[in-house]
Amino acid sequence: MPFPPPPRTLLGPRRRSLLVSAAGAALLVGCSTGDDSGTTGGSASAAEHARARAAADSETLLRHYDAVLAAHPTLAERLDPLRAEVVRHATAFGGTSSTPSATATASPSASASAVPATPSDALADLAAAERALADRRAKALLDLPGELARLLASVAAAGAAHAYLLTEGAK
């Protein structure tokens, strides 16, 4: 009985090893332990502009929550924890939102007329706003310096989770 041919000897790294190494290197570049005071992803003014934009976006989303709560106060138990997170996000970006509860601040002037008539439609509208903002933030973080990019990524992930909780969590 003849012996099988010897296995092919590889002279270099395997394709899988190269892909894993490249992916690992990309992750390490994004997770530096050095000082992030430099502007690796753009100028300081661009980073400050992005921070101000993120704060304004969070405050706009906060007003959306307030409008939904003004139109549908029965949703307060479900929306208050998510709204509180949005307040923390705005504050983390340097915004001025500091109100802890929507039930104390919701007012008819919060553009409740633009809110869908049914609670389920209002939740779907709010989820769409959370999802759109999370997507915009995920795209924007590529051009930002390390610490701000990590903060924006974290808040974008929280927004995606809010969108899930507003839609899938009701099922």
Side-chain angles (χ1 to χ4, degrees):
M1 176 161 159
F3 289 110
R8 188 173 140 219
T9 308
L10 297 175
L11 299 175
R14 292 178 169 228
R15 186 177 351 165
R16 186 178 298 153
S17 300
L18 288 175
L19 289 174
V20 170
S21 297
L27 286 173
L28 288 176
V29 168
C31 299
S32 67
T33 58
D35 181 23
D36 284 334
S37 61
T39 55
T40 58
S43 68
S45 62
E48 287 307 312
H49 176 72
R51 184 179 291 275
R53 166 78 189 230
D57 286 344
S58 290
E59 289 174 348
T60 299
L61 184 61
L62 183 61
R63 286 190 296 276
H64 196 143
Y65 270 90
D66 289 343
V68 169
L69 285 164
H72 303 288
T74 58
L75 295 174
E77 183 178 339
R78 184 169 180 190
L79 295 182
D80 277 348
L82 300 178
R83 184 191 179 279
E85 286 292 315
V86 174
V87 169
R88 284 192 282 279
H89 297 160
T91 303
F93 289 119
T96 59
S97 297
S98 61
T99 52
S101 172
T103 55
T105 61
S107 66
S109 65
S111 72
S113 61
V115 175
T118 66
S120 61
D121 288 345
L123 289 175
D125 188 51
L126 195 54
E130 284 272 17
R131 193 174 299 111
L133 183 54
D135 290 345
R136 271 198 323 267
R137 286 176 167 166
K139 290 176 186 170
L141 65 89
L142 297 174
D143 298 325
L144 298 176
E147 190 61 33
L148 183 55
R150 285 188 282 276
L151 177 60
L152 197 63
S154 176
V155 172
H162 289 182
Y164 173 81
L165 292 171
L166 291 166
T167 56
E168 300 299 322
K171 293 181 181 178

